[in-house]
Amino acid sequence: MVFVIKHLPFFLTLILLLTTACSDGRSSQNEQDDEPITIKVSWWGSQPRHEYTTRMIELYEQEHPNINIEPVFADWSDYWKNLAPMAAGNQLPDVIQMDLAYLAEYGEKGMLEDLTPYIEEGIIDTSAIEKSVISSGKIKDKLFGFTIGINVLSVISNDHLLNQAGVAIDEDEWSWDEMEHLTLEIKRKTGVYGSNAMNPPDVFFPYYLRTKGEQFYNDEGTGLAYSDDQLFIDYFNRQLKMIDGGAIPTPDESEVVRGMEYDFIVQGTSALTWNYSNQYAGFDQLTDAPLTLHLPPEHLNNEALFLKPSMLFSIPKSSKVKEEAAKFIDFFVNNVEANKIMKAERGVPVSSKVSEEMKSVLTEGEVKMLDYVNRASKMTNETYPPDPEGSSHVMEVLKEISNQILFKKITPEEGAKMFREQAEEILKNR
């Protein structure tokens, strides 16, 4: 090629070289854009979540013909069991649906990519997302998870049963004692359970502590923050009292509930259910009874209320397609049509633009869920931080000890002592 152009005038030679260089650059970029790329995306959830996520993936593949997305999904318990050996073998999916309880466990062991550069480069658009929401996936100065939905703790009521019992919830005033009295009154007047209990304990015991001005973990994540075990004892004594009074199901009855369609409030056997707000839409679709979202007891005490990421997306360091993975996260968060398919099932969209634009396709129940979270957001902008490394093991211990207490194999006093010893040991040696 050189011997052909060396006799040409200098300026023409330069033009040819520049033209060739530019042409090669575009051709190379086009070839790169057209090159088939496979992205593995993992998530946990129910069958309906699998189905709509598959539709979202099909939409993404239509918009990006060279991208093939390989799904990796399971229910909650199997998901984490499967993820651990993948991590050990350096074979984690390119996009990992992540929970706050596990974020530190994977991030602080150097397995997750810092997503900050993808935001700074504009690959993940955060222009319509609050900074506090973005930072909810940050540990120290590394953004290991990108929040894809916002949740708020809620108490969901079957309004027919409340009316039948002649009771009402004043959510800005009701105390734990009033909650207990209300559930006993419902049982006495209707014959159904007043509530499904404060279950699971790893969700509601930390909230109970906040209403008492305490936190679950200390700031360093090296131990429990609350020092008075009487708080633990009171929490479980109240549940035992409600079980004995028939106000909430016995633990063996609760254990057999698998899936939302079998929940007590769907079956009409409980007037209240304790859940995160994103589950409201599912309950609303599964029952003909009118349902209402209520803020939990004593949420105004000690500013107990908080926002929480329903789940996050992470990218492992082992991924060979990190930029494409980041583009998929951006699609999941910012694409209006994709979110119209998801319909806030993973929590209220973090993008204010998306949240507003999708209202036109939501059911009345789904709009109630969005409005509930937006109302809570005006009361607090505190986003629950990631749990420390080892927290998943701490929560397993809490659930096991809770079962032993509620089955009356041990007393709350014995449980409080056992939990503190085991939790402190886990956190100390993390």
Side-chain angles (χ1 to χ4, degrees), residues 131-143:
K131 288 183 179 179
S132 61
V133 171
I134 299 169
S135 63
S136 60
K138 183 175 284 190
I139 297 176
K140 297 176 182 175
D141 61 342
K142 304 290 186 183
L143 186 67

Side-chain angles (χ1 to χ4, degrees), residues 239-390:
Q239 290 189 72
L240 289 171
K241 183 178 177 182
M242 292 163 72
I243 290 172
D244 290 343
I248 63 176
T250 58
D252 53 334
E253 290 175 307
S254 296
E255 277 194 341
V256 299
V257 175
R258 292 289 185 271
M260 295 181 74
E261 62 269 31
Y262 302 108
D263 194 277
F264 296 100
I265 200 164
V266 171
Q267 297 295 318
T269 54
S270 176
L272 303 176
T273 184
W274 293 67
N275 284 283
Y276 273 112
S277 54
N278 70 310
Q279 295 179 285
Y280 176 83
F283 288 130
D284 187 55
Q285 291 172 5
L286 289 167
T287 179
D288 293 330
L291 305 179
T292 299
L293 284 152
H294 304 274
L295 293 165
E298 299 189 14
H299 65 89
L300 292 175
N301 290 10
N302 301 298
E303 299 180 341
L305 196 64
F306 58 86
L307 311 178
K308 187 175 183 182
S310 57
M311 54 206 70
L312 311 95
F313 271 152
S314 298
I315 299 174
K317 283 189 175 293
S318 59
S319 173
K320 301 295 191 294
V321 288
K322 295 186 181 72
E323 186 169 323
E324 292 300 334
K327 290 176 182 177
F328 179 78
I329 293 175
D330 176 74
F331 164 83
F332 213 89
V333 170
N334 289 307
N335 187 286
V336 174
E337 295 308 312
N339 277 271
K340 285 181 179 179
I341 294 172
M342 183 160 48
K343 300 182 79 173
E345 191 274 336
R346 279 179 165 93
V348 171
V350 293
S351 165
S352 57
K353 177 183 176 183
V354 170
S355 183
E356 187 60 35
E357 289 195 29
M358 65 181 290
K359 278 189 175 181
S360 61
V361 301
L362 299 181
T363 64
E364 182 181 347
E366 289 160 347
V367 171
K368 281 185 181 180
M369 179 181 63
L370 259 68
D371 289 344
Y372 174 80
V373 174
N374 289 333
R375 178 159 58 98
S377 299
K378 293 175 183 176
M379 302 174 69
T380 179
N381 62 1
E382 181 184 351
T383 305
Y384 198 84
D387 293 326
E389 188 178 347

Side-chain angles (χ1 to χ4, degrees), residues 399-410 418:
K399 289 176 185 176
E400 174 58 30
I401 290 175
S402 170
N403 283 336
Q404 292 185 54
I405 293 171
L406 298 182
F407 274 106
K408 298 185 178 179
K409 294 180 179 179
I410 60 174
M418 289 171 57

